[in-house]
Every structure is written in C-alpha cells, then in structure tokens.
Amino acid sequence: IYTGALFSTYQKSRIERLADEIGIEAISPYWHKDPKEYMDLVIDSGFKVIISGVFADGLDESWLGRLIDEEAMAELEKISEKTYLHLAFEGGEAETLVIDGPIFKKRIEILDADIDWHVDNGTYNITDARLIDKE
C-alpha cells in the first residue's frame, strides 16, 4: 500500500502497523520530500485538487472549494512566510479532495456545494456531484 505521508510520523506509523497486521508492505515514496516540490509535482502531473477544509491562520473562507494550481501555490507560499503554514497541509491546516487525475478514467464534476464557516475555520461540503467520462 502506498501512503502520501510526508512528515507525519503518526500517520505513517499507523498505516505501517495496519499493513503489517494484514501482511502487506507500506511504502511512503514522498517521505520527507520538500512540501513545495511535492505540491508542484501533484500539479504538474495533472491532478486536480480542491481545498475541502481550512483550519489554520491565513486560510479564510475564500479557499474553500478552490483549485490548487500555480497561482494558489504562490499565495500559499506568501501565507506560509507569515504563519508557518505547511504547503502540503501536513499539519492538518487544510483538507483536500482530488477531483481528477491522469490515473482516473473519470473526473468528478461538482454540481452543488455548501460552505460551513465558523469564525476561523470551515468545510466545503459537496451536496451534488457526478462522474464524467474523460475522452
């Protein structure tokens, strides 16, 4: 099983323990990879990732549902300089959802979503979506 853990020893060790219990190997190919390089790789590889939750200083309601692209990464870097935000959100600063990628036969089209905002944190809750065949 492959994990996306970058720096979370807690996450990596839990997955490794579960893998050991069922007799499979856990591989963390991006372990300790630079967060900016990792996010650039995700974008450059053609994955479409949106922000589905924000829970850190510097991330406001406007980030909910936003696609992580080069422009978003430039803004996140500026925020990180002031707040020490982890650019890959490894500390729980945000949650993400992959809606398309080169390894998928279909992509997710979000038809409707609600934003649930609470003073300094919130979630992007998809209420209607469909899978779209890719050409």
Side-chain angles (χ1 to χ4, degrees):
I1 187 169
Y2 283 83
T3 77
L6 297 178
F7 289 93
S8 173
T9 303
Y10 173 76
Q11 180 187 44
K12 186 175 183 279
S13 65
R14 284 182 54 103
I15 293 169
E16 287 174 345
R17 184 178 51 82
L18 292 170
D20 284 346
E21 287 178 12
I22 60 174
I24 62 174
E25 183 180 4
I27 300 168
S28 301
Y30 301 110
W31 186 243
H32 287 211
K33 183 160 184 80
D34 176 79
K36 172 74 167 90
E37 288 179 27
Y38 171 77
M39 294 302 286
D40 287 343
L41 177 63
V42 169
I43 294 166
D44 294 344
S45 296
F47 286 93
K48 304 296 181 204
V49 181
I50 63 169
I51 296 178
S52 56
V54 294
F55 313 97
D57 286 338
L59 298 176
D60 61 21
E61 187 175 354
S62 70
W63 285 94
L64 294 171
R66 184 169 174 187
L67 182 69
I68 301 173
D69 57 12
E70 292 85 2
E71 183 180 323
M73 284 307 301
E75 290 179 44
L76 289 168
E77 284 182 275
K78 288 179 183 174
I79 293 169
S80 177
E81 291 170 5
K82 296 176 185 174
T83 65
Y84 304 104
L85 174 85
H86 191 282
L87 291 176
F89 311 127
E90 188 78 358
E93 297 91 341
E95 294 297 331
T96 59
L97 173 69
V98 178
I99 58 172
D100 194 8
I103 62 173
F104 304 134
K105 294 179 182 175
K106 298 183 181 206
R107 65 179 174 83
I108 298 171
E109 179 182 42
I110 299 167
L111 301 172
D112 197 21
D114 294 324
I115 290 178
D116 186 18
W117 186 253
H118 302 276
V119 182
D120 63 355
N121 68 82
T123 55
Y124 182 77
N125 304 309
I126 298 167
T127 57
D128 194 12
R130 65 181 175 176
L131 290 174
I132 302 292
D133 288 321
K134 297 188 331 185
E135 298 172 21

